Amino acid sequence: MDVAPPLHRSLGLTDEEFDAITTRLGREPNRAELAMFSVMWSEHCSYKSSKAHLRTLPTEGPQVLVGPGEDAGVVDLGDGLACVFKMESHSHPSAIEPYQGAATGVGGIVRDVLSMGARPAALLDPLRFGPLDADGGARNRWLFGGVVAGIGGYGNCIGVPTVGGEVKFAPAHSANPTVNVMCLGFARADELLRGRTGSDGDALILIGAGTGRDGIGGVSVLASATLEEDVLASRPSVQIGDPFMEKLLIEACLELRDAGLLAGLKDLGGAGLTCAVSETAAGAGLGAHLDLGAVPTREPGMEPFEILISESQERMLAVVRPDRVPDVERVCARWGLAASRVGTLRRGQGLRVTSAGNLLADVPPPALADEGPEYHRPASRPDWLDALREDDPIRRPPPASLEEAFLAVLGSPNVASKRWAFEQYDQLVQGQTLVPPGGDAAVIRLEGTLKAVAVASDGNGRYGFLDPYLGGAHAVAEAARNVACTGARPLAITNCLNFGNPERPEVMWQFAETIRGIGDTCRTLGTPVTGGNVSFYNESGGSAIWPTPVVGMLGLLEDYRLRLGIGFPDADLLVYLLGATRAELGGSQYAETVLGMVSGPPPALDLDAEGRLIDLLVRAAGADLLASAHDCSEGGLAIAVAEAAIAGDVGVRIGSGSTGNHVALFSESASRALVTAWPGRERELQRVAEQMGVPFERVGITGGPSIEFEGLFGVSVQDALVVYEGAIPSLMSARATDRG
Amino acid sequence: MDFGVQMVVELKEGLADPQSRAIHESLPTMGWDNVDFLSVGKYFHFHVDAPDRDAAVEQATEMAERFLSNPVIERFDIRDVYVADAVPLETGE
Amino acid sequence: MDFGVQMVVELKEGLADPQSRAIHESLPTMGWDNVDFLSVGKYFHFHVDAPDRDAAVEQATEMAERFLSNPVIERFDIRDVYVADAVPLETGE
Amino acid sequence: MTVRVGVVTFPGSLDDRDALRAVATMGAEPVSIWHGDRDLGGVDAVILPGGFSYGDHLRAGAIARFARVMDAVRAFAHDGGPVLGVCNGFQVLCEAGLLPGALIRNRSLSFVCRWVNLRTENPSGNFTNWPDGEVIQIPIKHGEGQFVADESTLDRLERGGQVALRYCSPSGGVDDGFNPNGAARNIAGIRNQRGNVVGLMPHPEHAVDPDLGPTGGQAVLEWLIASAHARQPEHAVSAR
Ligand SMILES: Nc1ncnc2c1ncn2[C@@H]1O[C@H](COP(=O)(O)OP(=O)(O)O)[C@@H](O)[C@H]1O
Ligand SMILES: [Mg+2]
């Protein structure tokens, strides 16, 4: 026996998986083959614990051009235009080297979008950290500061604007921050590329950076082992990003696309060449020959298995008709990029890897790419949940001072302005950002048309913790609502599911429930899932992060001139609250900030009501009835009112009618939006709302220097601004400078 | 007593080093085609008030490990520790 | 012959140096309140193929003046020039 | 005759396409120029755009200034041709010695992207088509935008009316509270003595389209285009 069982185990393969490989090959795998299987059958690449659940998600709709399975999903924007988008996690490397971890996360997601043949057009960065001020705050500040700098450092340098994201803080994320990045890009539908294409004889050309030892074992070690004290042992798994090289790759690949030189394009991410080549061959229904001697290496003396699974950044694999190879080389040379013919697609054989003429591996591509294991892991509802949900903050007495409670919630890091982060990002490059970060959703114009897309990311950790089904459902609903508040029609989602160790039944239950919530909501709202990413093992010492589904929603505006902002644009506009407010404080920001509780049942979600609200927003915006719209979510009506006043620098007077107490102010009932109507269009708005069955209430009128809740309290817009804008900068000013 | 410390922090061997590569690769266009290796790092120079030389080295090492470098990707090297009281700050040029 | 060169580039005295200041100022929060001076610069290490030591120094100086430093804001200091053929690349640690 | 404005693309240039688009918006003909070109293709004005040329490794602009096209840019500038360097382009002009001073890391040590108020300066009125004392809005986005020079150079810039833009309050007051990067004397942009070479940290190409925000960049591009226009043969003759 040339491979002893301990080797496969130390590579993260179980005995059963090893046996399955042996059966599939009809012999035991050799060393190189074992390395290939270990990365391709890792959780990260094979989705072995999650795919049974992911399969239940709705993925189809007339707007979906490419669903899950390719490098990124693609949605039809009409008029022959398409949007490619995808979200991914880079939490594990970011926990030990925040700058480079986040930076290389951006690099990876951008290449996913590029590999579909689209020009990357915008980035979003949903982030979760531990609290900035509590014990351990110094490390959390170091992580937050480093991650933001890394996202900016990479995104700013490749000329892709960062237009949105989230930053939320919770103790459950102290040991394990969550760093997700989302990219979207545009292409004409007829110029889209597929990774999984190619014909017999096509050349495989490796473009970009040299292959080094970095990221060896990164996939199987980093993504399937829990972060423990011994983080230093995982050193080589953090990589150094080279955004300059990435920019050249973007331009070169788009030039190759425009010149019609590509039969296919694939990014090299997790599992490196092994993944790119096996997926390309399997997708084309062919075999392939891969010559490791032709791969430019960064260091001398690399072993074959290292070249096979290296995750060196900034590389792409192009599938090219043999007669086009010289043209491809010429374009790459012009951009100063290496282009090496490393292999060929071949009919009727496996993936045959050679080096200096020796056959090192011979594996059927589908065995690597498609036939990974699938687990139905046990799931069970955690027993601690009931007690937690029983303890409903609604039963607590009102706060001593509503004004103080209001200012505390407004200045809580979850609610407060994230300007500290997004000012470190280039939001404007490419010249299409109609609505930059700070609104409900970013709006990006499609150059040369009246169309624009709106995009938002959402996910409420407390809700997911207290009720994972609702956590998933609310993530979709809130993202859709955010998009609709710009006037855009929600089209489809991508997502990133961040969880603890799936081998623990309670984590698996959280995961399954979350997926159920996402699926139900996507079905009702007609927004299919086009792709995403699962990040497990976000836990240390047996304590996991909160179940953290993050949803990236894409919407379409047919005429960007009718887009809405969140700010009150003027005085003397009537303010309406659309949707019904219930007595729901469970899991609210108010309960966390003012009462110090994360408990109770999260707000209910009536999916049909949500759908009606979204339809109303889109219709009212399209008919130019609305002057502004802002969704009501974290912090409730009080915070929505404050944010709209601050954003517009216009005060507001909210009548005492239905906002007379803390519940009305801070309830986080779903499916609500705060809107203003253009003068003279109020009746029409009311008529449409009635007709569409959306409850509404006139709650106030804009104008004056302050935010007045009649009969309760008033705060000047300026004072509110100082609290809202000042919170995070003041916490971060205590930050020790990032290392060096 | 004041001890001067000079320290160099560089990326670990084996990691991609885009900065050094970009600078190295641009040299030939400026007429320097005879440079066969180039690496850029950070240089720290500081003065520590410590009871003795050993204490100064110990603190410098701790500062490097905990703050001035990230051992996940970088290595450091203390190049010099000297009695600073007598030496002017500009050791350069 | 291959000559190794080690060079330090720092901001000129008198120029505000935000990076050095920020690092210096955050040291007390980490418990090091006995550092009374700190400056960060860039460290270059490269190998030049030159006929002799003088030629190596001359080229290194030219590289520093024209490219590796910006004389408007920076000063450089060649710390070491050595015969590199015999010395391994890892001078660190 | 329409003015042809060349925009140089270095490896790592990012706002080159935005500059080309802005030139077209302003009614001139945009012409793309490659860093490896030996000549400027007969353009009437040149923009060195924003971005991270060569990754901004070593120092922003340090490698780009050695690009082949820079010989032609230098000759064009010496000949009086209008040259506008934006952000990274400004950094390249300083590194190339076409403008004095240097741009170092922001005082905050962080990249900053925001709209700022800028006061235009042309105290002597010597620099045709550049307004004096107007407050305009243009966004900045840079990590190394802190303009520095020694005191005598700064004094010389002031005396020669070579400060083109300063960060200011909404009403035009120059004080440190409105200085986003620590720049000496709130300087956001300067010109050479002759006034034909201008370097700015703010991005005028991102402030010409009313859909995207204020249009303070139009004044800058109008200066560039008008300067180019005045040099075209028929005008040059009549100007003499
Ligand atoms: N890390 C970030 N990067 C970019 N933009 C961010 C980031 N965090 C928050 N934002 C922006 O700040 C605004 C408010 O964020 P958030 O409170 O999460 O919005 P909402 O509650 O409407 O989902 C949004 O426009 C969002 O895109
Ligand atoms: Mg919102």
Side-chain angles (χ1 to χ4, degrees):
Chain A
M1 198 157 95
D2 83 68
V3 174
L7 179 59
H8 72 251
R9 278 198 220 138
S10 66
L11 284 170
L13 289 167
T14 65
D15 294 350
E16 293 72 34
E17 287 166 349
F18 182 79
D19 291 344
I21 294 165
T22 304
T23 308
R24 180 66 172 85
L25 296 182
R27 59 180 167 84
E28 284 193 357
N30 64 30
R31 238 182 125 79
E33 290 165 341
L34 203 50
M36 295 165 80
F37 274 102
S38 78
V39 288
M40 291 303 291
W41 285 22
S42 70
E43 186 66 58
H44 181 86
C45 287
S46 73
Y47 289 82
K48 55 192 169 191
S49 302
S50 58
K51 62 185 166 192
H53 298 275
L54 293 174
R55 210 173 280 133
T56 66
L57 291 170
T59 59
E60 277 165 22
Q63 69 274 49
V64 179
L65 294 178
V66 176
E70 292 268 2
D71 288 322
V74 187
V75 163
D76 188 356
L77 301 177
D79 300 339
L81 299 170
C83 181
V84 177
F85 70 127
K86 172 97 182 288
M87 192 187 297
E88 210 163 68
S89 139
H90 235 229
S91 305
H92 290 109
S94 301
I96 51 176
E97 189 1 77
Y99 184 99
Q100 294 296 344
T104 50
V106 172
I109 196 68
V110 163
R111 288 191 296 279
D112 272 328
V113 167
L114 179 62
S115 68
M116 301 301 293
R119 175 175 283 279
L123 291 161
L124 291 88
D125 62 333
L127 310 174
R128 306 288 185 274
F129 300 97
L132 300 179
D133 48 354
D135 286 349
R139 178 168 184 271
N140 296 333
R141 290 193 293 268
W142 174 66
L143 289 170
F144 175 37
V147 164
V148 168
I151 286 166
Y154 204 100
N156 297 346
C157 193
I158 57 173
V160 180
T162 300
V163 300
E166 298 162 80
V167 192
K168 304 287 166 185
F169 304 93
H173 288 273
S174 280
N176 293 274
T178 295
V179 176
N180 291 172
V181 277
M182 172 173 170
C183 182
L184 57 94
F186 299 124
R188 288 200 324 266
D190 62 10
E191 62 191 1
L192 288 171
L193 297 169
R194 303 296 168 87
R196 303 183 169 197
T197 51
S199 331
D200 186 24
D202 282 357
L204 301 174
I205 311 266
L206 184 61
I207 303 173
T211 298
R213 285 203 177 84
D214 43 7
I216 300 293
V219 169
S220 50
V221 176
L222 255 202
S224 69
T226 299
L227 273 184
E228 291 292 357
E229 317 85 324
D230 195 15
V231 282
L232 293 192
S234 52
R235 284 169 186 181
S237 300
V238 176
Q239 298 162 53
I240 308 295
D242 185 353
F244 173 52
M245 177 84 80
E246 181 100 342
K247 168 67 179 171
L248 301 179
L249 266 183
I250 293 171
E251 296 305 330
C253 288
L254 292 176
E255 191 173 322
L256 292 172
R257 176 201 71 180
D258 289 345
L261 295 174
L262 299 177
L265 188 63
K266 194 106 185 88
D267 68 297
L268 277 85
L273 267 175
T274 299
C275 179
V277 175
S278 64
E279 285 190 1
T280 299
L286 296 168
H289 169 228
L290 176 61
D291 175 14
L292 297 184
V295 176
T297 54
R298 219 174 51 217
E299 307 170 54
M302 284 182 66
E303 285 195 53
F305 90 88
E306 293 179 315
I307 299 173
L308 273 170
I309 66 172
S310 160
E311 292 180 7
S312 287
Q313 302 286 303
E314 288 93 22
R315 298 180 299 165
M316 298 290 286
L317 187 74
V319 183
V320 180
R321 309 272 175 256
D323 56 326
R324 300 296 180 83
V325 172
D327 294 331
V328 169
E329 289 169 344
R330 203 169 308 125
V331 170
C332 290
R334 192 172 109 90
W335 286 102
L337 292 172
S340 316
R341 179 169 184 166
V342 297
T344 308
L345 291 179
R346 286 268 179 256
R347 199 195 318 273
Q349 66 177 37
L351 166 52
R352 295 164 69 91
V353 181
T354 63
S355 180
N358 299 320
L359 183 63
L360 299 174
D362 187 353
V363 182
L368 291 166
D370 306 323
E371 296 166 16
E374 174 172 334
Y375 295 129
H376 298 259
R377 298 197 187 274
S380 69
R381 188 172 190 276
D383 43 22
W384 43 262
L385 208 47
D386 285 332
L388 207 56
R389 291 173 52 103
E390 276 303 300
D391 188 9
D392 192 339
I394 202 77
R395 293 197 295 269
R396 298 296 164 99
S401 158
L402 275 179
E403 179 177 343
E404 274 170 30
F406 166 75
L407 292 173
V409 174
L410 186 63
S412 68
N414 280 347
V415 167
S417 168
K418 306 304 184 298
R419 186 176 305 278
W420 185 90
F422 63 66
E423 272 199 350
Q424 296 186 47
Y425 305 146
D426 184 342
Q427 309 153 19
L428 307 174
V429 66
Q430 297 194 20
Q432 308 301 329
T433 309
L434 293 166
V435 178
D440 278 338
V443 180
I444 304 151
R445 186 171 59 183
L446 281 130
E447 192 169 353
T449 74
L450 284 180
K451 288 178 194 278
V453 301
V455 56
S457 74
D458 277 291
N460 184 311
R462 289 182 303 262
Y463 298 175
F465 174 56
L466 298 169
D467 187 332
Y469 174 87
L470 277 179
H474 276 295
V476 177
E478 189 183 340
R481 204 184 311 138
N482 275 318
V483 159
C485 279
T486 68
R489 169 161 299 288
L491 282 183
I493 74 161
T494 183
N495 69 95
C496 191
L497 304 173
N498 308 274
F499 286 78
N501 179 350
E503 295 156 44
R504 290 202 296 128
E506 78 175 51
V507 170
M508 210 53 221
W509 177 80
Q510 291 172 327
F511 183 75
E513 284 291 289
T514 301
I515 296 235
R516 221 164 49 77
I518 291 175
D520 285 352
T521 313
C522 283
R523 265 184 291 274
T524 307
L525 299 183
T527 54
V529 181
T530 63
N533 176 240
V534 177
S535 171
F536 279 131
Y537 298 100
N538 294 285
E539 65 176 73
S540 330
S543 114
I545 61 166
W546 280 346
T548 306
V550 177
V551 167
M553 177 71 71
L554 191 75
L556 178 65
L557 263 163
E558 287 294 346
D559 183 345
Y560 69 77
R561 293 169 301 185
L562 293 173
R563 71 190 177 280
L564 299 174
I566 68 166
F568 296 138
D570 210 344
D572 302 320
L573 299 174
L574 295 186
V575 182
Y576 291 85
L577 179 60
L578 309 178
T581 304
R582 291 175 298 265
E584 294 175 306
L585 290 181
S588 67
Q589 187 64 49
Y590 165 82
E592 180 180 314
T593 303
V594 177
L595 306 174
M597 343 170 32
V598 177
S599 62
L605 184 59
D606 175 342
L607 292 177
D608 295 322
E610 186 70 53
R612 288 193 295 272
L613 174 79
I614 287 167
D615 286 344
L616 170 61
L617 285 166
V618 174
R619 185 158 151 198
D624 205 10
L625 305 180
L626 300 179
S628 71
H630 185 20
D631 93 300
C632 232
S633 52
E634 241 175 2
L637 174 65
I639 296 305
V641 167
E643 288 175 343
I646 292 169
D649 194 18
V650 171
V652 62
R653 176 172 295 274
I654 301 293
S656 56
S658 61
T659 58
N661 61 39
H662 72 290
V663 178
L665 286 177
F666 298 117
S667 165
E668 294 183 5
S669 291
S671 317
R672 295 183 303 158
L674 184 81
V675 302
T676 53
W678 289 120
R681 309 305 302 271
E682 297 90 348
R683 297 278 284 278
E684 179 65 6
L685 174 63
Q686 297 185 14
R687 195 187 62 75
V688 177
E690 258 161 34
Q691 184 198 329
M692 298 180 76
V694 175
F696 64 91
E697 186 189 343
R698 213 181 97 183
V699 292
I701 183 163
T702 63
S706 60
I707 302 163
E708 294 286 339
F709 293 94
E710 270 176 10
L712 300 178
F713 64 91
V715 173
S716 77
V717 176
Q718 182 58 31
D719 288 351
L721 174 106
V722 168
V723 170
Y724 182 71
E725 290 292 349
I728 289 183
S730 93
L731 287 166
M732 289 305 285
S733 69
R735 168 177 70 135
T737 319
D738 53 354
R739 288 163 183 266
Chain B
M1 213 152 87
D2 230 26
F3 290 91
V5 179
Q6 305 197 33
M7 185 190 286
V8 169
V9 173
E10 289 177 292
L11 281 179
K12 282 186 169 166
E13 299 283 320
L15 285 172
D17 184 353
Q19 185 182 12
S20 298
R21 211 204 55 238
I23 295 172
H24 191 188
E25 284 179 0
S26 69
L27 292 176
T29 66
M30 301 159 198
W32 298 301
D33 51 10
N34 58 342
V35 177
D36 47 39
F37 160 79
L38 184 142
S39 137
V40 198
K42 288 180 208 154
Y43 166 80
F44 293 92
H45 181 194
F46 51 90
H47 287 187
V48 185
D49 183 22
D52 55 35
R53 198 192 153 81
D54 283 355
V57 171
E58 194 180 321
Q59 173 167 340
T61 305
E62 199 198 331
M63 283 170 60
E65 282 171 351
R66 281 184 50 210
F67 184 52
L68 299 179
S69 77
N70 182 353
V72 172
I73 52 170
E74 292 166 322
R75 61 196 166 100
F76 65 93
D77 183 33
I78 297 178
R79 288 293 165 88
D80 191 18
V81 179
Y82 59 92
V83 178
D85 301 302
V87 179
L89 284 191
E90 294 89 327
T91 52
E93 292 187 306
Chain C
M1 210 149 89
D2 231 23
F3 290 92
V5 178
Q6 305 196 31
M7 185 190 290
V8 167
V9 172
E10 289 177 291
L11 278 182
K12 281 184 173 165
E13 301 280 323
L15 265 181
D17 180 355
Q19 193 185 6
S20 299
R21 213 199 48 234
I23 294 172
H24 193 189
E25 283 175 1
S26 56
L27 290 175
T29 67
M30 320 245 345
W32 298 301
D33 51 10
N34 58 344
V35 176
D36 46 37
F37 159 79
L38 183 143
S39 134
V40 200
K42 291 176 201 156
Y43 165 80
F44 295 91
H45 181 193
F46 52 90
H47 287 188
V48 185
D49 183 22
D52 55 38
R53 199 190 153 82
D54 284 353
V57 172
E58 192 181 325
Q59 174 167 343
T61 308
E62 198 201 330
M63 283 169 63
E65 283 171 349
R66 278 185 59 210
F67 181 52
L68 298 180
S69 78
N70 177 351
V72 174
I73 47 172
E74 293 167 322
R75 61 197 166 98
F76 67 92
D77 182 32
I78 296 176
R79 289 292 165 90
D80 192 19
V81 178
Y82 58 92
V83 177
D85 301 304
V87 180
L89 285 191
E90 293 93 323
T91 53
E93 292 187 311
Chain D
M1 211 169 88
T2 355
V3 165
R4 298 173 71 236
V5 178
V7 176
V8 176
T9 296
F10 298 102
S13 290
L14 303 177
D15 304 90
D16 47 345
R17 298 188 325 139
D18 302 325
L20 290 164
R21 191 187 311 113
V23 164
T25 303
M26 297 303 294
E29 183 190 336
V31 178
S32 191
I33 297 175
W34 187 243
H35 65 95
D37 290 352
R38 282 181 199 283
D39 65 72
L40 301 176
V43 296
D44 305 305
V46 173
I47 296 179
L48 304 185
F52 286 73
S53 58
Y54 300 90
D56 267 6
H57 289 306
L58 191 57
R59 295 177 310 278
I63 301 178
R65 77 141 160 135
F66 289 99
R68 185 182 290 162
V69 75
M70 285 305 292
D71 289 336
V73 170
R74 200 172 281 111
F76 182 74
H78 284 151
D79 202 33
V83 176
L84 174 66
V86 174
C87 197
N88 197 233
F90 185 11
Q91 293 158 338
V92 173
L93 290 173
C94 289
E95 283 282 341
L98 285 167
L99 288 174
L103 295 144
I104 65 170
R105 258 179 107 171
N106 296 348
R107 177 166 60 181
S108 65
L109 298 179
S110 299
F111 188 97
V112 59
C113 173
R114 70 166 76 124
W115 285 82
V116 293
N117 290 294
L118 298 157
R119 194 173 78 192
T120 64
E121 296 196 8
N122 183 4
S124 56
N126 285 348
F127 305 108
T128 320
N129 296 310
W130 193 279
D132 183 49
E134 284 178 20
V135 177
I136 58 177
Q137 283 96 42
I138 300 182
I140 54 167
K141 46 190 192 80
H142 58 245
E144 297 182 24
Q146 176 174 183
F147 181 75
V148 293
D150 56 42
E151 287 297 311
S152 65
T153 304
L154 293 170
D155 290 341
R156 187 164 46 77
L157 288 173
E158 305 262 12
R159 274 199 310 276
Q162 287 177 249
V163 175
L165 288 179
R166 259 185 250 260
Y167 304 109
C168 68
S169 71
S171 59
V174 173
D175 88 58
D176 194 53
F178 294 91
N179 186 337
N181 54 29
R185 306 190 190 179
N186 278 38
I187 291 173
I190 57 171
R191 51 173 75 88
N192 63 354
Q193 279 176 352
R194 200 167 165 186
N196 65 311
V197 178
V198 169
L200 313 173
M201 285 319 294
H203 285 262
E205 77 280 16
H206 286 289
V208 296
D209 177 349
D211 279 336
L212 302 170
T215 54
Q218 291 185 356
V220 173
L221 290 168
E222 275 161 7
W223 161 80
L224 185 74
I225 292 166
S227 304
H229 204 247
R231 285 182 81 244
Q232 286 186 335
E234 64 271 37
H235 297 273
V237 169
S238 62
R240 262 177 225 136

